């Protein structure tokens, strides 16, 4: 929840609750902005001609809108429902739900440690942008995510406990095949060295798995929090293995497989 004096920005996506529906306008409450109200004109309800506005919105409904204009002096916020596509709506609703969870977690920590919840919120917003993002960072980076926030030790420990118990970091997996062929008398040892080099030191949250598929093929599977990290790791691992083979005068290549979640 934003501070009471904050206003949304133009083009921002906001979660709203429909409070009143008239013939040509719907009045809504902006759930993320304390006490702020907005309106959706019938022309911004849906693409094409809208005969009955109640065919699209009703009192009590949660909707995601795009902010068209903001006038703090008059207290007016004009919104559009039609300018939000399905993907944007799903992502925004999920973000809003995550922020609600994070608010509760901060409440738990504050109650258990006596910390000021607003100080935690302010620090999280300043350093991570979103409350939920802060808890994700705490899960993946631990103390490193908290070192610059100046919280007391018991607050840091409580935040880590709450994060670890509640946040599940999504993982992605990418796979490929290392083709390692040797014609040397000690080819078995060369391939072993290549496979050992394909397991470099990586981040804690990254896993590398090598599986023998049958000469000369070896599956390499990398699991990481995101595709960028996974791609970087699999490239580093496969390049290291191929380098060992080539320096020994043998051959190696890497064949990528399609991405999978």
């Amino acid at each position: 929840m934003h501070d009471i004096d904050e206003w949304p920005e133009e083009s921002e996506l906001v979660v709203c609750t429909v409070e009143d529906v008239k013939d040509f306008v719907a009045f809504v409450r902006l759930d993320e902005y304390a006490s702020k109200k907005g309106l959706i004109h019938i022309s911004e309800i849906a693409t094409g001609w809208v005969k009955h506005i109640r065919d699209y919105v009703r009192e009590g409904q949660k909707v995601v809108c795009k902010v068209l204009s903001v006038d703090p002096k008059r207290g007016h916020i004009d919104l559009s429902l039609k300018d939000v596509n399905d993907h944007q709506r799903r992502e925004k609703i999920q973000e809003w739900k995550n922020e609600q969870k994070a608010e509760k977690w901060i409440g738990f920590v504050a109650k258990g440690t006596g910390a000021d919840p607003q100080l935690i919120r302010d620090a999280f917003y300043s350093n991570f942008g979103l409350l939920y993002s802060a808890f994700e960072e705490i899960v993946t980076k631990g103390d490193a995510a908290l070192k610059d926030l100046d919280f007391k030790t018991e607050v840091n420990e409580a935040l880590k406990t709450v994060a670890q118990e509640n946040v599940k970091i999504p993982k992605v997996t990418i796979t490929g095949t290392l083709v390692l062929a040797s014609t040397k008398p000690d080819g078995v040892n060369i391939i072993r060295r290549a496979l050992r080099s394909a397991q470099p030191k990586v981040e804690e949250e990254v896993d590398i798995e090598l599986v023998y598929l049958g000469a000369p093929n070896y599956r390499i599977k990398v699991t990481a929090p995101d595709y960028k990290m996974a791609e970087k790791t699999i490239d580093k691992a496969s390049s290291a293995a191929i380098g060992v083979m080539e320096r020994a005068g043998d051959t190696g290549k890497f064949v990528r497989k399609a991405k999978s979640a």
Side-chain angles (χ1 to χ4, degrees):
M1 180 73 71
H2 293 272
D3 291 340
I4 194 167
D5 294 328
E6 283 191 75
W7 291 80
E9 297 180 0
E10 288 187 14
S11 298
E12 182 179 342
L13 297 183
V14 290
V15 177
C16 306
T17 300
V18 180
E19 293 192 327
D20 191 16
V21 180
K22 303 296 185 184
D23 288 341
F24 299 103
V25 67
F27 296 96
V28 302
R29 179 182 72 252
L30 279 67
D31 292 359
E32 300 156 289
Y33 290 88
S35 76
K36 299 296 187 296
K37 309 282 184 175
L39 63 85
I40 314 168
H41 188 267
I42 192 171
S43 62
E44 294 294 336
I45 290 291
T47 54
W49 183 58
V50 176
K51 183 176 182 181
H52 300 296
I53 193 171
R54 287 183 179 276
D55 290 341
Y56 299 87
V57 291
R58 62 187 183 279
E59 284 86 353
Q61 182 181 359
K62 294 285 184 190
V63 294
V64 176
C65 297
K66 181 179 180 180
V67 177
L68 298 178
S69 64
V70 179
D71 186 344
K73 290 183 179 179
R74 297 173 61 198
H76 284 187
I77 302 174
D78 292 321
L79 304 163
S80 174
L81 189 59
K82 71 178 183 181
D83 284 352
V84 182
N85 61 40
D86 288 341
H87 175 71
Q88 291 172 318
R89 180 166 54 254
R90 285 193 300 269
E91 283 208 331
K92 181 60 186 179
I93 287 293
Q94 187 59 56
E95 177 189 296
W96 173 69
K97 288 180 177 178
N98 286 342
E99 288 298 278
Q100 286 189 312
K101 293 176 186 175
E103 283 277 5
K104 289 181 181 178
W105 300 339
I106 289 173
F108 295 153
V109 171
K111 185 176 181 181
T113 63
D116 183 346
Q118 191 56 49
L119 290 179
I120 298 176
R121 289 190 203 99
D122 290 344
F124 280 5
Y125 281 132
S126 298
N127 289 273
F128 305 101
L130 293 170
L131 303 180
Y132 192 83
S133 297
F135 284 102
E136 288 183 315
E137 286 286 304
I138 293 169
V139 169
T140 57
K141 297 182 179 179
D143 290 326
L146 295 162
K147 67 177 182 178
D148 296 326
L149 301 186
D150 294 326
F151 295 148
K152 292 181 179 179
T153 301
E154 58 264 35
V155 176
N156 285 344
E157 292 303 313
L159 287 169
K160 285 192 293 183
T161 298
V162 169
Q164 291 162 0
E165 289 178 350
N166 293 282
V167 178
K168 300 293 181 278
I169 301 298
K171 295 280 189 177
V172 298
T173 297
I174 58 176
T175 62
T177 301
L178 277 170
V179 183
L180 309 176
S182 177
T183 57
K184 301 293 187 294
D186 61 342
V188 172
N189 290 327
I190 294 171
I191 291 173
R192 282 176 181 164
R193 289 201 304 273
L195 292 173
R196 282 199 299 271
S197 72
Q199 293 185 297
K201 185 177 180 181
V202 295
E203 301 290 340
E204 264 186 41
E205 62 269 32
V206 179
D207 294 317
I208 299 178
E209 181 184 351
L210 290 166
V211 179
Y212 177 61
L213 299 177
N217 299 318
Y218 300 82
R219 185 179 69 192
I220 180 170
K221 181 171 76 171
V222 172
T223 303
D226 57 62
Y227 280 118
K228 183 177 180 180
M229 187 177 293
E231 295 279 5
K232 181 180 178 180
T233 302
I234 204 167
D235 287 344
K236 181 179 179 180
S238 58
S239 295
I242 292 169
V244 170
M245 299 299 294
E246 291 178 344
R247 285 192 294 275
D250 287 316
T251 61
K253 69 176 180 178
F254 176 60
V255 181
R256 276 298 312 271
K257 299 294 183 184
K259 294 177 181 177
S260 62

